[in-house]
Amino acid sequence: MDTISVFCELSNIGSGNASTSLAKMVNEVIDIGVPKNDVNKLSDIIASYGDSNEPVLATVLQLSEDMEGLVMIVMKVDNAYKLLSKLLRRNIKREVNNLSTINEELSSVRDVCNTLCGAYLTAISEMTNLNIVTSPPYFSVDNITNAMNLPASLYGPGTDSMSCIETEFFTLDKEVEGKFYFIPKIDSCQKLLAALGLA
């Protein structure tokens, strides 16, 4: 099995564990897409969202100890409101464009995304026996370009390429969609492989 396939499988396990947690919260089936490894440029990720000015909700956990990098969840704001509606069992629509107000209104969704990131990492940690420590979660409601500033800083200023595995998750009615991003630092990629006996 090549390196990319290994990372895709790890991401599949992590996102599957997180999606199971979300399914319990909303009492609906949550499906996940096939992990993508072809999006390894920051500019490609930003372009995949279409309008770079459309606001997104981003949750980021930075990793340390046995693994460095980050895990993040990104959802378009309108999808985040649909998730909030499912969580509260009533229809809630976005009625403002002020990003600060939207951030406040989506506080429950932020907490859910933090839980999902934790579930994602727990599955990877249990599979590899690596001690993965996370930073306090970083939340933002902003356009996708600004939301990706932290992943960009991880690899250094001016760097566009990064090791990134993207996995989509969605409800069967497609009302709620989002993406997991698993972005380990280069050195941590080798630690992952060694922990699995592949390096």
Side-chain angles (χ1 to χ4, degrees), residues 141-163:
V141 174
D142 209 331
N143 63 58
I144 186 62
T145 302
N146 290 336
M148 285 294 171
N149 279 341
L150 185 56
S153 68
L154 186 70
Y155 279 77
T159 301
D160 188 38
S161 296
M162 62 177 68
S163 298

Side-chain angles (χ1 to χ4, degrees), residues 63-104:
L63 316 179
S64 59
E65 291 296 324
D66 289 344
M67 182 186 300
E68 292 183 276
L70 56 84
V71 166
M72 66 186 300
I73 291 177
V74 177
M75 302 179 69
K76 292 183 178 179
V77 159
D78 288 343
N79 275 282
Y81 273 96
K82 290 175 182 177
L83 175 55
L84 182 61
S85 297
K86 289 179 181 293
L87 291 167
L88 299 181
R89 308 290 193 269
R90 57 188 175 88
N91 189 34
I92 299 175
K93 293 184 178 180
R94 176 170 59 134
E95 298 180 348
V96 295
N97 291 316
N98 181 276
L99 296 183
S100 179
T101 302
I102 292 172
N103 197 5
E104 292 177 10

Side-chain angles (χ1 to χ4, degrees), residues 9 33 44 63 86 120 127 146 156 160 167 171 175 183 189 199:
E9 184 58 27
D44 289 341
L63 316 179
K86 289 179 181 293
Y120 187 109
M127 184 175 181
N146 290 336
D160 188 38
T167 310
T171 52
E175 286 191 358
I183 308 176
C189 292

Side-chain angles (χ1 to χ4, degrees), residues 8-138:
C8 283
E9 184 58 27
L10 280 174
S11 183
N12 196 45
I13 292 168
S15 55
N17 194 46
S19 296
T20 298
S21 297
L22 181 58
K24 292 177 181 178
M25 295 180 201
V26 298
N27 196 30
E28 288 189 35
V29 174
I30 304 294
D31 206 352
I32 57 174
V34 176
K36 298 178 182 178
N37 59 67
D38 55 337
V39 181
N40 58 7
K41 289 189 176 181
L42 188 64
S43 54
D44 289 341
I45 294 174
I46 293 170
S48 72
Y49 282 82
D51 183 0
S52 62
N53 291 316
E54 182 176 3
V56 298
L57 172 69
T59 302
V60 183
L61 294 182
Q62 195 155 358
L63 316 179
S64 59
E65 291 296 324
D66 289 344
M67 182 186 300
E68 292 183 276
L70 56 84
V71 166
M72 66 186 300
I73 291 177
V74 177
M75 302 179 69
K76 292 183 178 179
V77 159
D78 288 343
N79 275 282
Y81 273 96
K82 290 175 182 177
L83 175 55
L84 182 61
S85 297
K86 289 179 181 293
L87 291 167
L88 299 181
R89 308 290 193 269
R90 57 188 175 88
N91 189 34
I92 299 175
K93 293 184 178 180
R94 176 170 59 134
E95 298 180 348
V96 295
N97 291 316
N98 181 276
L99 296 183
S100 179
T101 302
I102 292 172
N103 197 5
E104 292 177 10
E105 291 181 343
L106 293 176
S107 59
S108 296
V109 176
R110 296 201 320 261
D111 293 341
V112 167
C113 288
N114 183 31
T115 299
L116 296 182
C117 284
Y120 187 109
L121 291 170
T122 295
I124 292 177
S125 179
E126 289 178 349
M127 184 175 181
T128 60
N129 289 318
L130 292 175
N131 179 32
I132 304 174
V133 176
T134 63
S135 68
Y138 170 76

